[in-house]
Amino acid sequence: MSEHHGLRRRLPVLSVALAGVLWGIIGPFVRTLSGMGLQSMQIVAFRAIITAVLLFVVLMVRDRGKLRFHLRDIWCFLGTGLCSIVFFNFCYFSAIEDVSLSVASVLLYTAPCIVMLLSLLLFHERITTPKLIALAMSVIGLCLVTGLLGGGGNRATPHGILMGLGAGLGYALYSIFGRYALDRGYHPLTITFYTFTFASVGSLVLCQPAGMVHVLVSTPAVWLPGVLLGVLCTVLPFASYTWGLARMESSRASIVASVEPVVATLLGVFAFGEAMTVGNFAGVVLVVAAIAVLQEPWKKQETPVHAGEK
């Protein structure tokens, strides 16, 4: 019985970690689509449109009731779709033009710090000792994974740093607006669908849609990696993350999701033959250990279940 209880307690963390793993394998799909002629923001728009269409079909077949939402709650989905997905991607792609990828990655993963502070102010979540320890371990680990510590040669400009911090804020806002949507009783699939419906509209404004349509029509092969990107790296991880978010604090979920760059690094090593230094390996261990710290019941840890289960 205790083993069953322990598994149930760990399921939200495993669900969020699974989301991080699936986000971590996005690189090969983006490289493939880029090689076929799509620009960065066009990939964002393509991914958002495919995700919204796939979820619309699924919900129409399985449960049309999940397509309903109250107009008074539209700000939650504008928040996850425009303030998070579109703003985060725009800032991140702007950042990597002015700073190294390692600096951009670490600036992006200021998100757990931002989520922790916003959750304290907005949801009155406690900043506990295990959270602070896990946060410190994940930040140091990410600096080692990306080579910001011990790597040398990392370029940066004030504009790039500002854009990187903007990306971290946008990334963090999904947990915040997603929490508000969950507290209003919306299902994770409903939240994911409307997130990417609004993200589709917002990203189309920024992506030169005529050029995107030309590539989609002239290069039919682009559709397979596009659909896989939509299913494996968007629908499944966002639904999984939102499901876990409904059952744990926003600050904990954001730290657990830091497994994403670790997976991306390991994928680069084993699939693409990229080098891994001792520092990179130490960073991987630290990030994984940070997740383990959040699993430990130092005192009784909260696992709130919100109304978003209906």
Side-chain angles (χ1 to χ4, degrees):
M1 183 66 112
S2 60
E3 286 183 12
H4 178 67
H5 175 72
L7 178 62
R8 286 189 61 187
R9 184 173 63 83
R10 287 177 170 81
L11 275 178
V13 172
L14 294 174
S15 182
V16 172
L18 173 63
V21 169
L22 293 173
W23 283 326
I25 65 172
I26 194 174
F29 297 105
V30 172
R31 285 184 183 182
T32 300
L33 293 170
S34 179
M36 291 179 172
L38 289 176
Q39 299 173 2
S40 297
M41 284 307 297
Q42 289 173 343
I43 294 173
V44 174
F46 187 34
R47 176 191 185 193
I49 292 167
I50 286 177
T51 301
V53 170
L54 287 173
L55 280 173
F56 179 76
V57 172
V58 169
L59 292 176
M60 281 293 289
V61 172
R62 297 290 301 273
D63 190 349
R64 296 185 184 186
K66 289 187 174 66
L67 289 171
R68 299 193 193 100
F69 75 93
H70 297 291
L71 198 58
R72 65 175 180 271
D73 297 328
I74 194 172
W75 62 273
C76 296
F77 307 118
L78 289 171
T80 55
L82 298 181
C83 299
S84 179
I85 301 300
V86 176
F87 179 69
F88 140 58
N89 280 284
F90 175 77
C91 287
Y92 188 68
F93 290 136
S94 298
I96 60 179
E97 293 177 3
D98 290 338
V99 303
S100 66
L101 281 173
S102 58
V103 172
S105 297
V106 172
L107 290 173
L108 173 62
Y109 274 88
T110 56
C113 302
I114 297 170
V115 171
M116 188 176 290
L117 291 174
L118 290 178
S119 297
L120 172 67
L121 295 172
L122 299 173
F123 308 124
H124 308 294
E125 291 183 5
R126 293 183 300 120
I127 297 180
T128 62
T129 300
K131 282 184 192 174
L132 290 174
I133 292 173
L135 182 62
M137 291 170 69
S138 66
V139 169
I140 295 170
L142 288 167
C143 289
L144 289 168
V145 165
T146 59
L148 188 64
L149 287 179
N154 295 293
R155 60 185 176 87
T157 66
H159 176 264
I161 292 172
L162 183 63
M163 288 294 99
L165 291 172
L169 173 62
Y171 197 60
L173 287 177
Y174 184 85
S175 296
I176 301 303
F177 284 108
R179 169 69 67 205
Y180 278 119
L182 287 165
D183 286 346
R184 280 158 175 73
Y186 292 103
H187 190 275
L189 287 180
T190 305
I191 297 169
T192 306
F193 169 67
Y194 283 108
T195 292
F196 284 95
T197 297
F198 289 115
S200 299
V201 177
S203 55
L204 280 173
V205 174
L206 302 171
C207 81
Q208 298 178 322
M212 181 181 76
V213 171
H214 174 72
V215 174
L216 297 182
V217 172
S218 63
T219 313
V222 80
W223 287 93
L224 178 59
V227 171
L228 290 174
L229 176 65
V231 174
L232 291 178
C233 302
T234 314
V235 174
L236 293 178
F238 272 94
S240 183
Y241 182 85
T242 310
W243 185 89
L245 182 65
R247 294 158 176 81
M248 63 194 297
E249 293 176 318
S250 302
S251 49
R252 292 183 69 211
S254 188
I255 295 172
V256 172
S258 298
V259 73
E260 175 189 347
V262 169
V263 173
T265 298
L266 293 175
L267 184 64
V269 171
F270 292 108
F272 300 105
E274 297 176 0
M276 173 176 272
T277 66
V278 173
N280 297 149
F281 179 75
V284 169
V285 172
L286 272 174
V287 174
V288 174
I291 296 172
V293 166
L294 289 175
Q295 283 281 73
E296 289 302 315
W298 294 47
K299 290 185 182 176
K300 186 172 179 174
Q301 290 202 11
E302 307 89 346
T303 43
V305 178
H306 293 265
E309 297 178 59
K310 67 180 185 180

